[in-house]
Structures are given as structure tokens and as C-alpha cells.
Amino acid sequence: MRTQLKLSAAVAAAALALTGLTACGGSSPDASADAKDGKLKIMVGGLDKVIYLPARLTQQLGYFKAEGLDVTLLTEPAGVQATTSLLSGDVQGVVGFYDHTLDLQAKNKQVESVVQLAQTPGEVELVADKAAGDITSPKDFKGKTLGVTGLGSSTDFLTKYLAVKNGVRTEDFHTVGVGAGQTFLAAFQQGSIQGGMTTDPTVAQVLDKNLGKVLIDMRTPEGSQQALGGLYPSSSLYMSTDWVNSHKDTVQKLANAFVRTLRWMSVHTPEEIAAKMPADYAQGGKELYAKAIKNTLPMFTKDGVMPADGPATVERVLKSFNPNLKNASIDLKKTYTTEFVKK
């Protein structure tokens, strides 16, 4: 079993390397042509993650088609790989964390959130059962190995912030990319990480299997406020600003579809939402999957609008540890737009 897991991890790593190489290429010549026919590719930083649930649910509910769009949803294990696909022109949009728009602006890449799906990270810092006595707060991260979905991902960003906020330097602990789902569970079981940041349904599975405990819960506005000092807009549909400005009709249709989904989610039960999703997303069983959705629902917005103070919180968090952003002048107004969701 362990050999199979190691092989799977190796295959995943090879796939990520290929993704990185692909992303170094020029823009895809077909990207704009596809959009003219209503055909779009959207990369998601983990399609089966509950934090990105609106992407698949919009497709399942038929709302893309209702807008005359033919949307292909692709998946990567971490948002950072999804971003490289956007920059290379392989996809027209990404469903990933808003914080990447600030990081990219500091690198002279202009990308903006056009639909803000979530107002909190939806992330949970878990501690492995065997290490529960050694890690009782982020102050204990020193000397530890902590799992994140991928290096340079939003889980990596937030882990570093929690450490720095609690007096631990980023160089005093190690972060390892372990993905989510089975690879995250395996890292806990094998003891290769003492703690890690992940989302549902992985959180629900870790707790159900008694592999770990919750250290910090950022799935609710209250949890986000306590850990990060405010709302932290996360899951969003973000796109290249140039592409948005030259395809406003298409972007409006995407916004219509996503906002319709957010409204649908706000008036349906976790069980009803789970029933609309592909059966293989409920790897821990239907009941556990519905519970995972219930615990994560508070993170989502109902209208796709960026929370007023959210961007400033994200900037403050990133500047506390990110050398690229520390002395950079970020124009927050260019990292998101409410033009489409307000229509």
C-alpha cells in the first residue's frame, strides 16, 4: 500500500513538473477563438475540494449552458499550478484563491477576481494525532514539517502567516507539498508531516479516521477574524485583466452563472447540494460529504461581491512574510472588479 502511495506521489510530482513546463510557453493561439464560440476552459485548484464547489455545481445545475457557454472544467491539485495555466494562455479563467492576484501584480502580471465566491479561506490547520502534544498553537511550528497543497500555494501563504504572527520565522520550519485527499491522509499516516493545512472533504476524512485534530479553523467569518484579523476573500473566479476587458460579454455570462449558483446554495441544504455533485466526490461516504459541505458553507458569499475590507486583510497578511510583496506598492482596486456581479 505504501509503495502504491509513493508511486502515486511520484506520478503527481511528475505531472506538476510538466504543468510548470507547459506554463512557460506562450499564450495558446486558440484561447480567444474558443471564447468567441462560447467555449471556455477554466482551471480549478482541486475540483473535488468543497472550497471550490461552486465551479462544478454551476456545471451540474446547467447554469453555464443556460448562459450559452460551453465550459470545460480542468483540475490541478493546487491553485499555484492553476495560475501558471492561466498565464500561459491554456485556460481563460481560474477558480482559485484571490491572494494570487496580489502576488502576480507584484510580478507585473495583471489578473483580477471577477466573481468572489468566498469571504473566508475555508482552510483548517490540522495537527497529526501523534504530534498533538507538541503542537498546541502556531508558536510550536518551529522545527516542524507542515503539509500544504503545494509550495507557493495559498495554504503555503497562510501557514507562513500564522507562523510569523506567532513569532516563528519562515526559515525555522519546513513546508512540504502533499496535495489533498489521499496524499494528505497518507502523509499523516506515515508521519512525514506533523501538521498540515487543508480543506474539506479532506478535513472531514482526517477527523473521521482519527488521524488528527483541528488546531485552527478558518471556515467561518469568526474563525477568519480570529486567525487573520478580518475577512479573507479566497475562492474566486479570476482572469487576466486584458482578457476581461476584451471579452466583457463572455465574462458577464460567467458572472451570471456563478452568482445564480451562489444564490441557489444559500437556499438549499448541504444534503441537497451534495446530491447534485458527482458521486465520486463523496469519497468518505454521502453523510460525511454532506457534513463537510455543511461545515464549509459559511465561507461562501451569496452574491459574488468582494467584501469591502477583504483585500486590505489579504495584503496585510501577504506583506507580513512575502518578500515579493513586502515593499511592493499594490493597487488593490486592480485586483478585483464588481462590475459584472453587480449587474
Side-chain angles (χ1 to χ4, degrees):
M1 181 66 179
R2 287 192 179 186
T3 304
Q4 288 177 336
L5 288 168
K6 286 177 182 175
L7 282 171
S8 298
V11 171
L16 292 186
L18 285 172
T19 301
L21 289 170
T22 304
C24 292
S27 294
S28 164
D30 299 325
S32 294
D34 284 351
K36 289 177 184 176
D37 301 327
K39 291 183 178 179
L40 292 158
K41 291 178 182 176
I42 295 176
M43 185 68 79
V44 185
L47 258 176
D48 58 353
K49 295 177 185 176
V50 180
I51 58 169
Y52 299 138
L53 180 145
R56 176 63 83 190
L57 184 58
T58 302
Q59 193 172 61
Q60 298 290 103
L61 293 171
Y63 292 164
F64 289 135
K65 283 188 178 179
E67 292 290 334
L69 300 174
D70 181 2
V71 175
T72 300
L73 296 175
L74 305 171
T75 189
E76 283 285 5
V80 64
Q81 282 87 33
T83 299
T84 58
S85 295
L86 178 69
L87 296 178
S88 69
D90 293 332
V91 298
Q92 288 78 42
V94 168
V95 172
F97 266 41
Y98 161 72
D99 53 21
H100 289 294
T101 68
L102 280 73
D103 191 51
L104 288 168
Q105 191 184 113
K107 298 170 183 172
N108 297 313
K109 306 287 185 184
Q110 197 56 56
V111 171
E112 62 187 15
S113 163
V114 295
V115 182
Q116 195 56 47
L117 302 171
Q119 59 187 339
T120 75
E123 303 281 356
V124 177
E125 181 68 32
L126 295 165
V127 178
D129 240 20
K130 296 172 183 176
D134 297 327
I135 305 176
T136 58
S137 85
K139 291 179 181 178
D140 301 321
F141 284 176
K142 188 173 182 178
K144 304 298 191 296
T145 300
L146 305 173
V148 295
T149 51
L151 300 182
S153 67
S154 297
T155 51
D156 193 18
F157 290 165
L158 289 170
T159 301
K160 287 175 178 173
Y161 172 73
L162 291 174
V164 169
K165 182 188 175 187
N166 287 275
V168 180
R169 298 180 306 169
T170 56
E171 57 266 36
D172 288 340
F173 66 98
H174 303 286
T175 53
V176 181
V178 294
Q182 294 305 310
T183 52
F184 187 97
L185 295 175
F188 257 30
Q189 288 169 327
Q190 294 170 5
S192 56
I193 58 174
Q194 287 85 57
M197 189 174 291
T198 190
T199 60
D200 278 309
T202 307
V203 175
Q205 291 173 38
V206 167
L207 299 179
D208 185 61
K209 295 177 184 295
N210 294 316
L211 295 175
K213 296 178 173 64
V214 172
L215 182 68
I216 296 171
D217 192 336
M218 294 176 282
R219 290 176 291 190
T220 66
E222 295 78 17
S224 179
Q225 178 71 44
Q226 188 174 352
L228 307 172
L231 291 179
Y232 191 97
S234 57
S235 306
S236 65
L237 170 65
Y238 62 82
M239 312 177 89
S240 163
T241 300
D242 285 343
W243 200 92
V244 171
N245 291 337
S246 58
H247 296 82
K248 288 201 171 190
D249 287 347
T250 302
V251 177
Q252 186 62 62
K253 290 174 181 178
L254 281 170
N256 293 346
F258 274 110
V259 171
R260 192 176 173 189
T261 298
L262 291 169
R263 288 174 178 163
W264 187 93
M265 288 169 61
S266 71
V267 295
H268 286 80
T269 66
E271 290 76 18
E272 289 170 330
I273 295 170
K276 291 288 183 182
M277 300 298 286
D280 61 347
Y281 281 25
Q283 291 183 4
K286 289 182 180 179
E287 286 186 18
L288 195 63
Y289 185 52
K291 184 178 180 182
I293 292 174
K294 182 181 179 181
N295 289 336
T296 306
L297 274 179
M299 75 177 286
F300 295 109
T301 67
K302 295 179 182 179
D303 53 12
V305 176
M306 174 68 74
D309 299 329
T313 302
V314 173
E315 182 181 30
R316 175 176 52 76
V317 166
L318 294 182
K319 283 194 170 187
S320 71
F321 67 85
N322 190 324
N324 293 328
L325 280 156
K326 208 156 197 173
N327 300 311
S329 179
I330 301 296
D331 187 345
L332 292 177
K333 290 181 180 177
K334 291 183 178 179
T335 60
Y336 70 96
T337 177
T338 57
E339 173 186 351
F340 304 98
V341 292
K342 286 191 173 178
K343 284 182 183 177

PDB file of all heavy atoms in Angstrom, residues 55 63 70 83-84 87 90 104 128 133 137 149 177 204 217 223 233 243 270 279 301 335:
ATOM      1  N   ALA A  55     -17.800  25.802  -8.679  1.00  0.00           N
ATOM      2  CA  ALA A  55     -17.413  25.585 -10.080  1.00  0.00           C
ATOM      3  C   ALA A  55     -18.134  24.378 -10.666  1.00  0.00           C
ATOM      4  O   ALA A  55     -18.835  24.473 -11.681  1.00  0.00           O
ATOM      5  CB  ALA A  55     -15.900  25.410 -10.178  1.00  0.00           C
ATOM      6  N   TYR A  63     -26.178  25.898 -15.356  1.00  0.00           N
ATOM      7  CA  TYR A  63     -26.205  27.360 -15.459  1.00  0.00           C
ATOM      8  C   TYR A  63     -25.234  27.912 -16.502  1.00  0.00           C
ATOM      9  O   TYR A  63     -25.473  28.980 -17.063  1.00  0.00           O
ATOM     10  CB  TYR A  63     -25.938  27.996 -14.091  1.00  0.00           C
ATOM     11  CG  TYR A  63     -27.039  27.773 -13.085  1.00  0.00           C
ATOM     12  CD1 TYR A  63     -26.822  27.990 -11.725  1.00  0.00           C
ATOM     13  CD2 TYR A  63     -28.323  27.350 -13.474  1.00  0.00           C
ATOM     14  CE1 TYR A  63     -27.825  27.800 -10.782  1.00  0.00           C
ATOM     15  CE2 TYR A  63     -29.327  27.145 -12.544  1.00  0.00           C
ATOM     16  CZ  TYR A  63     -29.070  27.366 -11.194  1.00  0.00           C
ATOM     17  OH  TYR A  63     -30.074  27.178 -10.265  1.00  0.00           O
ATOM     18  N   ASP A  70     -20.105  26.981 -23.236  1.00  0.00           N
ATOM     19  CA  ASP A  70     -19.630  25.599 -23.232  1.00  0.00           C
ATOM     20  C   ASP A  70     -18.324  25.593 -22.427  1.00  0.00           C
ATOM     21  O   ASP A  70     -17.248  25.868 -22.960  1.00  0.00           O
ATOM     22  CB  ASP A  70     -19.389  25.131 -24.671  1.00  0.00           C
ATOM     23  CG  ASP A  70     -18.907  23.682 -24.748  1.00  0.00           C
ATOM     24  OD1 ASP A  70     -18.809  23.036 -23.682  1.00  0.00           O
ATOM     25  OD2 ASP A  70     -18.614  23.215 -25.867  1.00  0.00           O
ATOM     26  N   THR A  83      -2.726  28.811 -11.677  1.00  0.00           N
ATOM     27  CA  THR A  83      -2.315  30.150 -12.105  1.00  0.00           C
ATOM     28  C   THR A  83      -1.349  30.093 -13.281  1.00  0.00           C
ATOM     29  O   THR A  83      -1.451  30.894 -14.212  1.00  0.00           O
ATOM     30  CB  THR A  83      -1.659  30.906 -10.928  1.00  0.00           C
ATOM     31  OG1 THR A  83      -2.620  31.031  -9.874  1.00  0.00           O
ATOM     32  CG2 THR A  83      -1.215  32.291 -11.346  1.00  0.00           C
ATOM     33  N   THR A  84      -0.422  29.138 -13.263  1.00  0.00           N
ATOM     34  CA  THR A  84       0.525  29.035 -14.379  1.00  0.00           C
ATOM     35  C   THR A  84      -0.197  28.705 -15.679  1.00  0.00           C
ATOM     36  O   THR A  84       0.190  29.173 -16.746  1.00  0.00           O
ATOM     37  CB  THR A  84       1.617  27.973 -14.102  1.00  0.00           C
ATOM     38  OG1 THR A  84       1.014  26.707 -13.867  1.00  0.00           O
ATOM     39  CG2 THR A  84       2.458  28.350 -12.907  1.00  0.00           C
ATOM     40  N   LEU A  87      -1.626  32.036 -17.000  1.00  0.00           N
ATOM     41  CA  LEU A  87      -0.600  32.919 -17.554  1.00  0.00           C
ATOM     42  C   LEU A  87      -0.080  32.427 -18.896  1.00  0.00           C
ATOM     43  O   LEU A  87       0.335  33.221 -19.739  1.00  0.00           O
ATOM     44  CB  LEU A  87       0.563  33.076 -16.563  1.00  0.00           C
ATOM     45  CG  LEU A  87       0.224  33.763 -15.231  1.00  0.00           C
ATOM     46  CD1 LEU A  87       1.453  33.808 -14.330  1.00  0.00           C
ATOM     47  CD2 LEU A  87      -0.322  35.171 -15.456  1.00  0.00           C
ATOM     48  N   ASP A  90      -3.378  28.746 -21.569  1.00  0.00           N
ATOM     49  CA  ASP A  90      -4.014  27.443 -21.776  1.00  0.00           C
ATOM     50  C   ASP A  90      -5.475  27.448 -21.341  1.00  0.00           C
ATOM     51  O   ASP A  90      -6.270  26.634 -21.797  1.00  0.00           O
ATOM     52  CB  ASP A  90      -3.259  26.355 -21.000  1.00  0.00           C
ATOM     53  CG  ASP A  90      -1.862  26.126 -21.558  1.00  0.00           C
ATOM     54  OD1 ASP A  90      -1.661  26.363 -22.769  1.00  0.00           O
ATOM     55  OD2 ASP A  90      -0.975  25.719 -20.793  1.00  0.00           O
ATOM     56  N   LEU A 104       0.698  38.178  -8.110  1.00  0.00           N
ATOM     57  CA  LEU A 104       1.006  38.333  -9.530  1.00  0.00           C
ATOM     58  C   LEU A 104       1.220  39.797  -9.902  1.00  0.00           C
ATOM     59  O   LEU A 104       2.075  40.109 -10.736  1.00  0.00           O
ATOM     60  CB  LEU A 104      -0.121  37.728 -10.383  1.00  0.00           C
ATOM     61  CG  LEU A 104      -0.181  36.202 -10.369  1.00  0.00           C
ATOM     62  CD1 LEU A 104      -1.475  35.702 -10.987  1.00  0.00           C
ATOM     63  CD2 LEU A 104       1.012  35.607 -11.107  1.00  0.00           C
ATOM     64  N   ALA A 128      -1.412  16.288  13.419  1.00  0.00           N
ATOM     65  CA  ALA A 128      -1.458  14.823  13.458  1.00  0.00           C
ATOM     66  C   ALA A 128      -1.608  14.350  14.900  1.00  0.00           C
ATOM     67  O   ALA A 128      -1.049  14.944  15.816  1.00  0.00           O
ATOM     68  CB  ALA A 128      -0.187  14.246  12.839  1.00  0.00           C
ATOM     69  N   GLY A 133       0.519  16.663  21.167  1.00  0.00           N
ATOM     70  CA  GLY A 133       1.101  17.173  22.404  1.00  0.00           C
ATOM     71  C   GLY A 133       2.204  18.191  22.166  1.00  0.00           C
ATOM     72  O   GLY A 133       2.509  19.018  23.034  1.00  0.00           O
ATOM     73  N   SER A 137      -0.273  25.382  19.345  1.00  0.00           N
ATOM     74  CA  SER A 137      -0.546  26.657  18.681  1.00  0.00           C
ATOM     75  C   SER A 137       0.533  26.863  17.625  1.00  0.00           C
ATOM     76  O   SER A 137       1.546  26.138  17.618  1.00  0.00           O
ATOM     77  CB  SER A 137      -0.526  27.817  19.686  1.00  0.00           C
ATOM     78  OG  SER A 137       0.789  28.291  19.882  1.00  0.00           O
ATOM     79  N   THR A 149      -0.837  22.283   0.242  1.00  0.00           N
ATOM     80  CA  THR A 149      -1.214  21.654  -1.028  1.00  0.00           C
ATOM     81  C   THR A 149      -0.070  21.699  -2.028  1.00  0.00           C
ATOM     82  O   THR A 149       0.190  20.748  -2.756  1.00  0.00           O
ATOM     83  CB  THR A 149      -2.465  22.325  -1.636  1.00  0.00           C
ATOM     84  OG1 THR A 149      -2.264  23.740  -1.686  1.00  0.00           O
ATOM     85  CG2 THR A 149      -3.699  22.015  -0.827  1.00  0.00           C
ATOM     86  N   GLY A 177       4.789  20.086   0.010  1.00  0.00           N
ATOM     87  CA  GLY A 177       3.588  19.952  -0.816  1.00  0.00           C
ATOM     88  C   GLY A 177       3.073  18.524  -0.766  1.00  0.00           C
ATOM     89  O   GLY A 177       3.753  17.614  -1.240  1.00  0.00           O
ATOM     90  N   ALA A 204     -12.777  16.468   6.934  1.00  0.00           N
ATOM     91  CA  ALA A 204     -13.775  15.530   7.469  1.00  0.00           C
ATOM     92  C   ALA A 204     -13.219  14.112   7.534  1.00  0.00           C
ATOM     93  O   ALA A 204     -13.469  13.367   8.492  1.00  0.00           O
ATOM     94  CB  ALA A 204     -15.039  15.573   6.618  1.00  0.00           C
ATOM     95  N   ASP A 217      -9.334  26.816  12.743  1.00  0.00           N
ATOM     96  CA  ASP A 217     -10.436  26.631  11.796  1.00  0.00           C
ATOM     97  C   ASP A 217     -10.787  27.974  11.159  1.00  0.00           C
ATOM     98  O   ASP A 217     -11.247  28.894  11.833  1.00  0.00           O
ATOM     99  CB  ASP A 217     -11.659  26.068  12.534  1.00  0.00           C
ATOM    100  CG  ASP A 217     -12.738  25.581  11.586  1.00  0.00           C
ATOM    101  OD1 ASP A 217     -12.778  26.053  10.428  1.00  0.00           O
ATOM    102  OD2 ASP A 217     -13.563  24.738  12.001  1.00  0.00           O
ATOM    103  N   GLY A 223     -13.918  32.481  12.546  1.00  0.00           N
ATOM    104  CA  GLY A 223     -12.610  31.824  12.541  1.00  0.00           C
ATOM    105  C   GLY A 223     -11.579  32.621  11.770  1.00  0.00           C
ATOM    106  O   GLY A 223     -10.414  32.705  12.159  1.00  0.00           O
ATOM    107  N   PRO A 233     -10.987  37.150   1.723  1.00  0.00           N
ATOM    108  CA  PRO A 233     -11.579  36.622   0.499  1.00  0.00           C
ATOM    109  C   PRO A 233     -10.660  35.603  -0.157  1.00  0.00           C
ATOM    110  O   PRO A 233      -9.468  35.860  -0.326  1.00  0.00           O
ATOM    111  CB  PRO A 233     -11.774  37.865  -0.377  1.00  0.00           C
ATOM    112  CG  PRO A 233     -10.912  38.920   0.232  1.00  0.00           C
ATOM    113  CD  PRO A 233     -10.817  38.601   1.682  1.00  0.00           C
ATOM    114  N   TRP A 243      -7.815  40.135 -20.853  1.00  0.00           N
ATOM    115  CA  TRP A 243      -8.824  39.229 -21.423  1.00  0.00           C
ATOM    116  C   TRP A 243     -10.228  39.667 -20.999  1.00  0.00           C
ATOM    117  O   TRP A 243     -11.155  39.670 -21.806  1.00  0.00           O
ATOM    118  CB  TRP A 243      -8.553  37.789 -20.971  1.00  0.00           C
ATOM    119  CG  TRP A 243      -9.210  36.769 -21.852  1.00  0.00           C
ATOM    120  CD1 TRP A 243      -8.663  36.161 -22.941  1.00  0.00           C
ATOM    121  CD2 TRP A 243     -10.540  36.264 -21.735  1.00  0.00           C
ATOM    122  NE1 TRP A 243      -9.575  35.302 -23.516  1.00  0.00           N
ATOM    123  CE2 TRP A 243     -10.734  35.345 -22.787  1.00  0.00           C
ATOM    124  CE3 TRP A 243     -11.588  36.495 -20.850  1.00  0.00           C
ATOM    125  CZ2 TRP A 243     -11.930  34.660 -22.985  1.00  0.00           C
ATOM    126  CZ3 TRP A 243     -12.790  35.813 -21.035  1.00  0.00           C
ATOM    127  CH2 TRP A 243     -12.953  34.906 -22.090  1.00  0.00           C
ATOM    128  N   PRO A 270     -27.173  21.264   2.877  1.00  0.00           N
ATOM    129  CA  PRO A 270     -25.945  20.562   2.492  1.00  0.00           C
ATOM    130  C   PRO A 270     -26.241  19.240   1.787  1.00  0.00           C
ATOM    131  O   PRO A 270     -25.541  18.865   0.841  1.00  0.00           O
ATOM    132  CB  PRO A 270     -25.245  20.328   3.837  1.00  0.00           C
ATOM    133  CG  PRO A 270     -25.724  21.444   4.700  1.00  0.00           C
ATOM    134  CD  PRO A 270     -27.153  21.661   4.296  1.00  0.00           C
ATOM    135  N   ALA A 279     -20.937  11.605  -7.768  1.00  0.00           N
ATOM    136  CA  ALA A 279     -20.916  10.626  -6.677  1.00  0.00           C
ATOM    137  C   ALA A 279     -19.510  10.364  -6.148  1.00  0.00           C
ATOM    138  O   ALA A 279     -19.317  10.144  -4.949  1.00  0.00           O
ATOM    139  CB  ALA A 279     -21.549   9.318  -7.147  1.00  0.00           C
ATOM    140  N   THR A 301     -19.910  33.586  -0.302  1.00  0.00           N
ATOM    141  CA  THR A 301     -20.739  34.779  -0.435  1.00  0.00           C
ATOM    142  C   THR A 301     -22.061  34.364  -1.076  1.00  0.00           C
ATOM    143  O   THR A 301     -22.171  33.276  -1.647  1.00  0.00           O
ATOM    144  CB  THR A 301     -20.079  35.851  -1.328  1.00  0.00           C
ATOM    145  OG1 THR A 301     -20.017  35.360  -2.679  1.00  0.00           O
ATOM    146  CG2 THR A 301     -18.662  36.171  -0.853  1.00  0.00           C
ATOM    147  N   THR A 335      -7.044  44.509  -8.432  1.00  0.00           N
ATOM    148  CA  THR A 335      -7.003  43.067  -8.190  1.00  0.00           C
ATOM    149  C   THR A 335      -8.383  42.422  -8.233  1.00  0.00           C
ATOM    150  O   THR A 335      -8.507  41.206  -8.123  1.00  0.00           O
ATOM    151  CB  THR A 335      -6.354  42.761  -6.826  1.00  0.00           C
ATOM    152  OG1 THR A 335      -7.127  43.386  -5.784  1.00  0.00           O
ATOM    153  CG2 THR A 335      -4.916  43.265  -6.777  1.00  0.00           C
TER     154      THR A 335
END
